[in-house]
């Protein structure tokens, strides 16, 4: 009896300690305690980030105009809700109280005023910091050893999203650094989406699901076919770790930045959507052309990415440069991408057995880019695919 009382008291004490720390014990991963979900990211995040197109050439006018364009273009209504400021937004030094400060020359209204503006448009504001002593541009301080203070600062400004980079990290264990910021965000008094940008160096897919809402699985993307395809393959190996609230992140979209062809960008967007990657636009949406808008606004492709089943699609078949990628969706549907990574036109076939369907299954095939349907298809689907292009479909089983 005494032993049972002691065990009960010890359990209650443990709960109190955890609660005071702002961390809740759930299931463990590899023996490590994980954090309760913050309720965010039940589908992959969608929005815009400043880095791919503008890098350090940012200011509050650009951010406001981007928020305006997101709404006026109709992209916001499709789910693109985060307006994320990347590196270079802050002063080189903290203030006398040790707080981060927005750069007066480029963000004279401060981040709080900017957040208020973005929120007035029905959108959410994201910001950037680093799990090291400085950010990657070295123009502003990182958050290492300032996690609690910075998280509370972000919350007081009305920030909704934190991208947390990995430069100047002094060689400290990334799990400990990112876990510390994860706890700080939970304690900040505001729900803030936590995007880990650890570059995949310490296999974050195996541990970050208990820390944040998404984690980079790769190095930085470049606006080149070779970079995009390499990153798609690197991200694919971690497919089984993705789930609602926790997503693999192969970096932001390059669609519309000019370094790839329209078909290459279509492949980029299709694979990212199938792989349940964050759909974070990286171009200047204020001046995007009609083709770019058409790619980014395809409701049927976006629906695959945002499907509530939350299972990452993956590469299931490869014959030289010809690939089949597929993944399950709600209502027992299947999404498929036939991808030609070669230099010449080729026929690609996906048999039902390649994608987990019974060989006798009868389906309706919806072409997500042509917006057309073929009914009562049996055994397989084949298509002639141009070089560096793809075809994307959803398969819906027909009722017997």
């Amino acid at each position: 009896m005494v032993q049972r009382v002691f065990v009960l008291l010890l359990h209650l004490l443990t709960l109190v300690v955890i609660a005071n720390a702002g961390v809740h014990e759930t299931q463990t991963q590899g023996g490590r305690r994980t954090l309760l979900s913050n309720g965010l990211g039940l589908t992959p995040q969608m929005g815009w980030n400043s880095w791919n197109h503008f890098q350090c050439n940012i200011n509050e006018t650009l951010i406001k105009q981007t928020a305006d364009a997101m709404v006026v273009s109709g992209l916001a209504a499709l789910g693109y809700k985060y307006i994320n400021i990347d590196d270079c937004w802050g002063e080189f030094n903290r203030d006398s109280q040790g707080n981060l400060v927005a750069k007066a020359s480029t963000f004279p209204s401060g981040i709080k005023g900017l957040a208020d503006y973005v929120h007035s448009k029905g959108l959410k504001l994201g910001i950037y910091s680093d799990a090291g002593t400085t950010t990657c541009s070295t123009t502003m301080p990182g958050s290492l050893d300032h996690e609690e203070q910075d998280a509370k600062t972000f919350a007081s400004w009305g920030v909704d999203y934190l991208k947390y980079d990995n430069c100047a990290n002094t060689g400290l264990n990334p799990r400990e650094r990112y876990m510390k910021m994860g706890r700080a965000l939970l304690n900040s008094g505001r729900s803030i989406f936590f995007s880990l940008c650890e570059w995949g160096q310490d296999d974050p897919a195996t541990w970050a699901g208990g820390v944040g809402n998404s984690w980079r699985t790769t190095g930085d993307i470049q606006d080149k076919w070779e970079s995009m395809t390499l990153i798609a393959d690197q991200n694919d190996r971690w497919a089984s770790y993705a789930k609602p609230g926790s997503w693999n992140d192969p970096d932001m979209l390059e669609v519309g930045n000019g370094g790839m062809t329209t078909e290459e960008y279509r492949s980029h967007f299709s694979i990212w959507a199938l792989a349940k990657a964050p759909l974070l636009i990286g171009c200047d949406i204020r001046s995007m052309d009609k083709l770019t808008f058409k790619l980014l606004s395809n409701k049927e492709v976006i629906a695959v990415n945002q499907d509530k089943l939350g299972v990452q699609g993956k590469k299931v078949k490869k014959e030289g440069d010809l690939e089949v990628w597929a993944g399950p969706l709600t209502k027992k549907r299947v999404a498929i991408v036939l991808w030609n990574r070669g230099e010449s036109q080729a026929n690609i076939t996906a048999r039902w057995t390649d994608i987990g369907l019974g060989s006798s299954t009868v389906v309706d095939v919806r072409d997500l880019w042509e917006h057309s349907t073929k009914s009562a298809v049996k055994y397989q689907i084949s298509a002639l695919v141009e070089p560096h292009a793809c075809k994307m479909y959803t398969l819906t089983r027909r009722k017997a």
Side-chain angles (χ1 to χ4, degrees):
M1 180 67 178
V2 173
Q3 184 178 12
R4 289 175 61 189
V5 172
F6 174 77
V7 171
L8 178 60
L9 289 173
L10 182 60
H11 179 66
L12 290 173
L13 178 62
T14 301
L15 291 177
V16 170
V17 170
I18 292 172
N20 287 340
V23 180
H24 300 266
E25 192 166 15
T26 59
Q27 64 184 3
T28 59
Q29 296 180 346
R32 292 181 297 276
R33 189 168 63 203
T34 66
L35 302 182
L36 255 186
S37 168
N38 56 15
L40 302 174
L42 298 183
T43 58
Q45 66 268 38
M46 295 176 63
W48 173 88
N49 180 283
S50 60
W51 185 258
N52 281 3
H53 190 86
F54 296 97
Q55 297 191 354
C56 281
N57 298 313
I58 58 173
N59 56 57
E60 68 177 51
T61 299
L62 165 65
I63 303 305
K64 288 180 177 180
Q65 290 177 349
T66 299
D68 294 342
M70 192 72 89
V71 174
V72 172
S73 68
L75 290 173
L78 296 175
Y80 294 98
K81 63 181 180 180
Y82 288 106
I83 304 296
N84 293 343
I85 309 168
D86 211 281
D87 202 353
C88 309
W89 59 266
E91 295 285 8
F92 183 75
N93 294 310
R94 294 173 178 269
D95 68 13
S96 59
Q97 305 300 313
N99 296 311
L100 293 172
V101 181
K103 191 179 295 182
S105 60
T106 49
F107 293 89
S109 302
I111 303 302
K112 176 64 168 65
L114 189 54
D116 290 345
Y117 184 88
V118 170
H119 293 158
S120 75
K121 299 295 179 177
L123 301 171
K124 296 181 180 294
L125 184 76
I127 208 163
Y128 167 98
S129 189
D130 189 281
T133 56
T134 68
T135 64
C136 291
S137 68
T138 69
T139 62
M140 53 180 290
S143 291
L144 185 64
D145 297 327
H146 292 267
E147 292 85 358
E148 289 283 344
Q149 182 176 17
D150 291 354
K152 285 183 169 59
T153 296
F154 300 148
S156 72
W157 289 343
V159 166
D160 304 293
Y161 185 113
L162 174 64
K163 175 183 174 182
Y164 203 46
D165 221 333
N166 195 33
C167 288
N169 60 54
T170 68
L172 296 175
N173 187 310
R175 305 184 195 194
E176 295 175 5
R177 290 182 286 112
Y178 283 92
M179 177 72 82
K180 195 171 181 182
M181 180 54 86
R183 289 194 186 99
L185 292 174
L186 288 176
N187 284 334
S188 71
R190 185 176 180 84
S191 294
I192 298 177
F193 189 106
F194 189 24
S195 170
L196 288 71
C197 187
E198 188 264 358
W199 318 322
Q201 290 190 341
D202 200 43
D203 298 342
T206 63
W207 52 267
V211 180
N213 300 105
S214 67
W215 50 85
R216 279 277 295 279
T217 54
T218 71
D220 289 357
I221 193 171
Q222 295 180 323
D223 188 18
K224 300 176 181 178
W225 167 257
E226 295 78 12
S227 172
M228 183 271 288
T229 55
L230 174 63
I231 280 178
D233 290 338
Q234 291 174 335
N235 185 67
D236 183 52
R237 65 180 293 212
W238 305 109
S240 63
Y241 290 89
K243 61 183 179 181
S246 306
W247 306 106
N248 291 310
D249 177 5
D251 207 4
M252 300 164 289
L253 294 167
E254 291 283 7
V255 177
N257 278 328
M260 288 185 260
T261 67
T262 298
E263 290 306 322
E264 289 170 345
Y265 280 140
R266 193 190 316 276
S267 295
H268 179 16
F269 193 67
S270 299
I271 292 295
W272 261 236
L274 183 81
K276 302 298 187 291
L279 298 183
L280 295 175
I281 299 170
C283 69
D284 186 352
I285 63 174
R286 302 172 304 171
S287 59
M288 62 183 167
D289 59 28
K290 292 181 179 179
L291 279 175
T292 297
F293 176 76
K294 188 175 181 180
L295 292 174
L296 295 173
S297 64
N298 187 319
K299 294 180 181 179
E300 296 189 77
V301 176
I302 291 171
V304 170
N305 180 260
Q306 296 292 295
D307 184 78
K308 294 187 183 303
L309 187 63
V311 176
Q312 179 173 327
K314 58 185 179 181
K315 189 186 306 187
V316 297
K317 182 181 179 181
K318 177 178 173 61
E319 294 179 350
D321 292 322
L322 310 181
E323 298 180 351
V324 177
W325 294 57
L329 303 173
T330 53
K331 300 179 181 179
K332 297 183 179 180
R333 296 170 300 141
V334 178
I336 299 179
V337 174
L338 307 181
W339 194 10
N340 181 1
R341 293 167 63 160
E343 301 299 326
S344 58
Q345 186 185 66
N347 193 71
I348 305 177
T349 298
R351 296 177 178 83
W352 290 178
T353 52
D354 295 330
I355 58 175
L357 292 178
S359 58
S360 61
T361 304
V362 181
V363 302
D364 293 335
V365 178
R366 179 68 174 174
D367 187 319
L368 305 190
W369 287 108
E370 296 296 328
H371 305 297
S372 61
T373 302
K374 291 183 179 179
S375 300
V377 179
K378 300 178 180 179
Y379 310 123
Q380 64 184 37
I381 184 169
S382 296
L384 192 62
V385 185
E386 297 299 318
H388 293 194
C390 75
K391 299 287 186 179
M392 188 172 188
Y393 309 97
T394 54
L395 309 186
T396 303
R397 303 167 200 248
R398 291 177 67 89
K399 294 181 180 179

